[in-house]
């Protein structure tokens, strides 16, 4: 199996499925090698109008595609697999983008021997800056993982992790963009509290976020070192840090990510 040669069907093309479709198209995947499925006719029309992609029913997608990328909500996955599971020939590759669901959830509902790969990407895929973690499930070979990587590499960075780490990945990078947006939103509010116009506060914080992110990525330095470089003795930054520590921001993040990890487990239990 090599990239762009076979047909990929995005089953349940909502927000994440659309990110995947548009990323594959941007990377040069031929539109006639892509299929999508949707539950509502209006959504199907939208996808065809936006990308020129053929939207078909789930069983046609199973029939025509070599790779089935399942991007429905975890709570919709069992019903979907009731419909398509018995019809999936065991030589198709099933890629799950569903948060929380282990590959065993799919394997139990697919013919014996069907390779399953579990993927957790995130919304910066929209600007080709996604972080995508990829794990092999039952029957997935190195070639299947390599193909999944080829499909997600154009959307940003990819990393291979053991499946046992995927719930933690979901909590960190899957949900991660939301934590940064919340921080930015709160800092813009703080700017307004300090008397800055909203637009100025927005510009200051967004560029500061971008600059800090690029330094984190490109300098290779530990975040503590980068923070220390901004924290002079008896200066302004340490006064702010004292307040952040006093209000338990670090502990809040530890608890928040643990809650996201637990919710991923809960979703899997409810989907079964
Ligand atoms: N959003 C994120 O940031 C993010 C990040 C990482 C992973 N994920 C995972 O990605 C998956 C999708 O999330 P999302 O945010 O993209 O959800 P979403 O926008 O609701 O997309 C799911 C789509 O699947 C459709 N669908 C449901 N059952 C179907 C069926 N039987 N046949 C065909 N289409 C069906 C839904 O149709 P309707 O429009 O009728 O509901 C919807 O359009 C989830 O499993 C989530 O855990 C999401």
């Amino acid at each position: 199996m090599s990239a762009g040669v076979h047909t990929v069907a995005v089953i349940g093309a909502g927000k994440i499925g659309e990110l995947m479709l548009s990323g594959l198209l941007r990377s040069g995947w031929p539109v006639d090698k892509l299929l999508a499925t949707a539950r509502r006719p209006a959504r199907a029309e939208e996808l065809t109008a936006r990308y020129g992609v053929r939207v078909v029913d789930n069983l046609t997608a199973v029939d025509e595609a070599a790779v089935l990328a399942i991007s429905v909500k975890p709570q919709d996955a069992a019903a979907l697999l009731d419909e398509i599971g018995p019809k999936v020939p065991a030589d198709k590759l099933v890629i799950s983008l569903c948060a929380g669901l282990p590959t065993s959830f799919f394997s139990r509902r697919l013919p014996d021997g069907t390779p399953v790969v579990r993927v957790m990407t995130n919304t910066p895929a929209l600007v080709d800056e996604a972080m995508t973690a990829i794990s092999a499930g039952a029957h997935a070979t190195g070639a299947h993982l390599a193909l999944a990587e080829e499909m997600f590499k154009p959307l940003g960075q990819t990393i291979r992790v053991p499946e046992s780490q995927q719930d933690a990945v979901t909590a960190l990078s899957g949900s991660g963009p939301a934590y940064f947006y919340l921080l930015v939103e709160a800092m813009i509010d703080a700017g307004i509290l300090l008397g800055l116009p909203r637009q100025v506060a927005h510009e200051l914080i967004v560029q500061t976020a971008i600059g800090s992110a690029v330094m984190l990525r490109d300098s290779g330095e530990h975040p503590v070192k980068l923070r220390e470089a901004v924290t002079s003795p008896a200066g302004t930054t340490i006064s702010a840090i004292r307040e952040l520590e006093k209000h338990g921001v670090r502990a809040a993040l530890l608890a928040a990510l643990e809650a996201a990890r637990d919710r991923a487990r809960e979703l899997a239990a409810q989907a079964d």
Side-chain angles (χ1 to χ4, degrees):
M1 274 188 171
S2 59
V5 170
H6 48 268
T7 301
V8 175
V10 177
I11 312 261
K15 287 185 283 295
I16 284 290
E18 181 170 349
L19 287 184
M20 195 180 158
L21 276 176
S22 68
L24 286 171
L25 286 168
R26 279 198 305 283
S27 74
W29 204 280
V31 70
D32 62 353
K33 296 281 182 188
L34 289 173
L35 293 172
T37 80
R39 200 156 45 177
R40 290 169 297 110
R43 177 64 181 157
E45 281 164 27
E46 197 172 68
L47 289 166
T48 304
R50 220 170 266 167
Y51 303 104
V53 68
R54 191 154 68 91
V55 181
V56 295
D57 60 62
N58 290 329
L59 291 177
T60 306
V62 166
D63 205 35
E64 291 190 18
V67 180
L68 307 173
I70 298 188
S71 62
V72 299
K73 285 253 156 62
Q75 50 272 34
D76 290 328
L80 172 72
L81 285 156
D82 284 348
E83 180 193 353
I84 65 168
K87 307 273 168 39
V88 176
D91 63 338
K92 308 255 165 164
L93 170 61
V94 173
I95 297 183
S96 161
L97 290 103
C98 302
L101 299 186
T103 54
S104 58
F105 174 94
F106 295 90
S107 295
R108 281 201 304 279
R109 294 166 170 86
L110 289 165
D112 259 355
T114 311
V116 182
V117 167
R118 179 170 167 185
V119 160
M120 176 50 60
T121 189
N122 63 11
T123 55
L126 199 55
V127 291
D128 297 341
E129 290 289 356
M131 185 68 239
T132 304
I134 297 174
S135 306
H139 311 295
T141 62
H144 294 124
L145 284 179
L147 174 62
E149 269 168 358
E150 272 189 75
M151 287 170 57
F152 285 92
K153 271 220 164 88
L155 301 184
Q157 300 293 320
T158 63
I159 187 172
R160 287 188 191 188
V161 298
E163 189 177 1
S164 58
Q165 294 176 2
Q166 277 282 10
D167 287 339
V169 166
T170 302
L172 258 78
S173 55
S175 302
Y179 317 144
F180 288 108
Y181 297 139
L182 183 85
L183 278 179
V184 166
E185 188 193 330
M187 285 196 267
I188 291 172
D189 274 350
I192 289 165
L193 180 73
L194 303 184
L196 294 175
R198 179 171 291 278
Q199 191 47 40
V200 172
H202 185 277
E203 256 180 67
L204 292 175
I205 288 303
V206 169
Q207 180 53 30
T208 302
I210 293 170
S212 309
V214 171
M215 278 185 76
L216 271 170
R217 186 188 61 193
D218 294 352
S219 71
E221 291 286 7
H222 192 281
V224 169
K225 202 119 194 251
L226 295 174
R227 182 171 62 73
E228 279 173 359
V230 198
T231 315
S232 37
T236 55
T237 311
I238 193 66
S239 299
I241 294 215
R242 181 180 58 185
E243 290 303 311
L244 290 171
E245 297 291 11
K246 203 157 85 188
H247 288 87
V249 168
R250 193 185 297 264
L253 284 169
L254 293 174
L257 270 72
E258 207 171 29
R261 190 273 320 267
D262 292 348
R263 182 62 185 146
R265 289 180 178 168
E266 238 172 62
L267 284 173
Q270 285 165 6
D272 242 334

